[in-house]
Amino acid sequence: MKAGVKRLIFFASLFIIWEVVVLLIGWSPAVMPKPSNVAVALYQGFMDKTLLYDLGASFKRLGVGLFLALIIGTLLGIWLAKSKTADETVGTLVLALQSVPSIVWLPLAIIWFGFNETAIIFIVTLGGTLVMTINMRMGIKSVPPLYIKAASTMGASGVEMFWKIILPASVPYAVTGARLAWAFAWRALMAAELLSMGPGLGYTLKYAADFGQMSLVFGVIIIICVIGSVVDLVIFQRFEKNVIRRWGLDS
């Protein structure tokens, strides 16, 4: 049986069990809605275009923030890998900041930029930059010495060595870094939007919770899970596997 069919059966069973359990226990929809209630809330949300506006706003922030994170993280990772002094100083700071949850930066972002889009994009960018930096640094440092020696014997050096040997050899790490950056940026976006003024999936989640619309709360959570899983499975995992296969790293 294919993995897609297994997943479909699993989630269908999960929703059926959820529906039956709520009916048997008799929970109020304000506490634990049934999947059918959630489906109705999602249908209404898409019909009145509320969720469409939320998706558009969230993806716009994610796109800008993730793009900046990939660019900054790549450049910073290369710098740390090529400069021992930078690695021993800035690299330590990057590792330290990596342990700080992105949402912790939101109060500072609000003071620096105001309670606006820039503050949220800053949080998203920061969420993806650090993990991209660490992976890019590791990719550059993990280039097999044999590649460099072989290129040196053929006359390659300096910029040519970097662009033609070191950078291509670090691509698998860079792709893994991009995949992780997407995941961290997505989480940071949802956390930041919870405190935003909307629109956005995170904002609608908080709005629905404040007004006791638990069906919509569960609906937004499901949307967040589905987007996260689909993007990771369809885009990043597939891209990562292709790169690993092309670079001859699959076992």
Side-chain angles (χ1 to χ4, degrees):
M1 187 181 293
K2 292 185 177 180
V5 177
K6 290 180 183 177
R7 292 191 187 107
L8 186 62
I9 294 174
F10 169 74
F11 284 108
S13 304
L14 195 64
F15 284 127
I16 291 172
I17 293 171
W18 177 5
E19 182 92 17
V20 172
V21 169
V22 173
L23 282 173
L24 290 176
I25 296 178
W27 271 319
S28 164
V31 177
M32 175 58 82
K34 296 177 292 186
S36 53
N37 300 134
V38 175
V40 171
L42 287 176
Y43 175 78
Q44 292 173 343
F46 281 111
M47 286 299 101
D48 63 19
K49 298 182 180 178
T50 301
L51 291 176
L52 292 178
Y53 289 128
D54 289 334
L55 285 169
S58 293
F59 276 120
K60 179 183 175 183
R61 293 164 182 152
L62 179 69
V64 175
L66 185 59
F67 175 76
L68 292 174
L70 296 179
I71 297 296
I72 297 171
T74 300
L75 296 177
L76 197 54
I78 293 173
W79 181 43
L80 296 183
K82 302 302 291 183
S83 170
K84 186 178 179 181
T85 302
D87 194 30
E88 292 174 344
T89 54
V90 180
T92 306
L93 178 63
V94 169
L95 289 175
L97 294 178
Q98 175 64 21
S99 63
V100 180
S102 299
I103 192 63
V104 172
W105 296 101
L106 188 59
L108 281 178
I110 292 173
I111 293 173
W112 290 342
F113 306 109
F115 202 30
N116 53 31
E117 293 284 306
T118 306
I120 298 176
I121 292 173
F122 172 76
I123 298 298
V124 175
T125 303
L126 195 61
T129 296
L130 298 177
V131 69
M132 185 65 195
T133 300
I134 293 171
N135 276 271
M136 197 66 212
R137 170 191 171 277
M138 183 61 69
I140 298 290
K141 282 184 167 292
S142 299
V143 175
L146 184 61
Y147 291 3
I148 297 175
K149 288 182 181 177
S152 296
T153 58
M154 290 186 284
S157 62
V159 176
E160 185 184 19
M161 172 77 79
F162 179 78
W163 282 107
K164 293 186 176 178
I165 305 299
I166 296 177
L167 197 58
S170 66
V171 166
Y173 281 90
V175 172
T176 301
R179 181 185 169 195
L180 293 173
W182 135 258
F184 277 72
W186 181 240
R187 295 173 195 170
L189 174 65
M190 292 300 109
E193 284 187 346
L194 283 173
L195 301 177
S196 74
M197 299 300 292
L201 287 175
Y203 168 77
T204 296
L205 180 65
K206 179 178 177 296
Y207 176 87
D210 289 343
F211 287 88
Q213 300 177 17
M214 293 304 290
S215 297
L216 186 56
V217 169
F218 275 87
V220 173
I221 292 174
I222 290 172
I223 291 175
I224 293 171
C225 292
V226 169
I227 292 174
S229 300
V230 168
V231 171
D232 189 66
L233 285 170
V234 176
I235 299 177
F236 286 100
Q237 280 195 29
R238 184 172 296 178
F239 186 47
E240 189 179 47
K241 287 179 181 176
N242 289 336
V243 169
I244 290 175
R245 190 181 305 116
R246 184 169 181 180
W247 261 247
L249 300 176
D250 53 341
S251 55

